[in-house]
Amino acid sequence: MISKKDCLRQVREVIDGVLSTVDEDGNPQSRIIDIMLIDDETVYFLTARGKDVYKEIIAHPQVSYLNLKDNKSIRITGMAKKLDNQKEWIDKMFEENRYMNNVYPGDARYILEPFCIEKGEIEVFDLTQKPIYREKFSIGDWKTKEKGYKISEECIECGICKDLCPQQVISEGTPFEIAQNHCLHCGLCYENCPSEAIEKIHP
């Protein structure tokens, strides 16, 4: 089992990850962002006011951050919040990440603005296990949304889905059941069910 604390530890240890936003034309944009601090469940990062990513976050604060280490991905999706007390937060981040002094020496650091994600969800996807493992955790009062596939009462118990499942995580029953924490969400069972008893879960 992987805990929320384990996920946040990886985010801080790896530091570099991909932050995705939406630009003014509705196009997705991604760039490397360093996670500077972690405080309980909250993650902190910064960017310069002159950068496009700053304008994108201000206009559309819902962001997604992806971190990968040894085939174990951590995705954080939520609302980015610009922090008050800008200089205090920037100084704290530079103290914890000394390499930043080489990037923005002296008072140049104050062109940066601090942000946090204090409401959202964390999803871990671990390909190192067999079967694979996935789990979601909430940040703040965010409600996580279920995804994937489920088998309805229309199941005729033919076993086709069970035989086809790449991870072999569908068990017999009335109806058959998918182990959600081990499902790839690939849709192979969904496409091949003769009774159309497998439903896509829409978040």
Side-chain angles (χ1 to χ4, degrees):
M1 294 291 290
I2 301 171
S3 69
K4 184 191 300 187
K5 188 174 181 180
D6 294 331
C7 294
L8 291 171
R9 184 182 300 115
Q10 174 174 314
V11 167
R12 181 59 181 143
E13 287 176 353
V14 175
I15 299 182
D16 293 334
V18 178
L19 183 78
S20 297
T21 56
V22 177
D23 67 18
E24 60 185 5
D25 297 318
N27 297 315
Q29 301 292 338
S30 298
R31 69 277 292 168
I32 299 297
I33 290 285
D34 294 354
I35 295 299
M36 295 288 164
L37 294 170
I38 292 178
D39 181 12
D40 295 326
E41 297 184 350
T42 306
V43 297
Y44 299 84
F45 63 95
L46 50 76
T47 191
R49 290 188 295 275
K51 293 188 176 184
D52 289 341
V53 62
Y54 174 80
K55 298 178 181 67
E56 291 160 10
I57 294 172
I58 296 299
H60 303 284
Q62 188 158 358
V63 299
S64 181
Y65 172 82
L66 183 65
N67 172 293
L68 178 67
K69 180 182 180 182
D70 300 329
N71 286 325
K72 185 188 300 179
S73 67
I74 308 294
R75 181 171 60 191
I76 301 176
T77 304
M79 304 300 292
K81 175 185 174 182
K82 184 180 174 183
L83 297 167
D84 297 327
N85 303 318
Q86 177 241 12
K87 287 189 176 182
E88 179 181 330
W89 279 107
I90 293 300
D91 289 346
K92 185 175 182 180
M93 292 182 186
F94 271 61
E95 181 64 27
E96 294 292 326
N97 303 272
R98 296 296 184 90
Y99 70 92
M100 289 298 295
N101 289 286
N102 298 321
V103 184
Y104 291 94
D107 287 347
R109 69 176 67 179
Y110 300 123
I111 190 61
L112 300 167
E113 291 288 346
F115 289 88
C116 74
I117 302 174
E118 61 181 4
K119 290 184 179 181
E121 69 179 32
I122 301 170
E123 183 175 24
V124 57
F125 187 59
D126 187 355
L127 289 174
T128 67
Q129 301 187 32
K130 181 68 175 180
I132 63 95
Y133 176 76
R134 68 191 321 140
E135 183 72 77
K136 282 188 176 184
F137 307 96
S138 62
I139 302 174
D141 58 5
W142 190 276
K143 292 184 179 179
T144 60
K145 296 179 180 179
E146 190 179 0
K147 295 180 181 179
Y149 297 87
K150 63 180 179 180
I151 304 175
S152 73
E153 298 297 328
E154 301 299 317
C155 174
I156 59 174
E157 303 174 29
C158 65
I160 291 176
C161 61
K162 183 176 184 295
D163 293 338
L164 288 175
C165 178
Q167 292 291 304
Q168 294 295 291
V169 295
I170 298 177
S171 57
E172 296 180 8
T174 307
F176 278 40
E177 185 176 7
I178 301 170
Q180 296 297 330
N181 284 359
H182 303 291
C183 177
L184 284 168
H185 297 176
C186 69
L188 189 59
C189 59
Y190 172 79
E191 290 188 357
N192 289 277
C193 178
S195 62
E196 299 183 350
I198 299 177
E199 304 170 351
K200 186 172 179 61
I201 301 169
H202 296 284

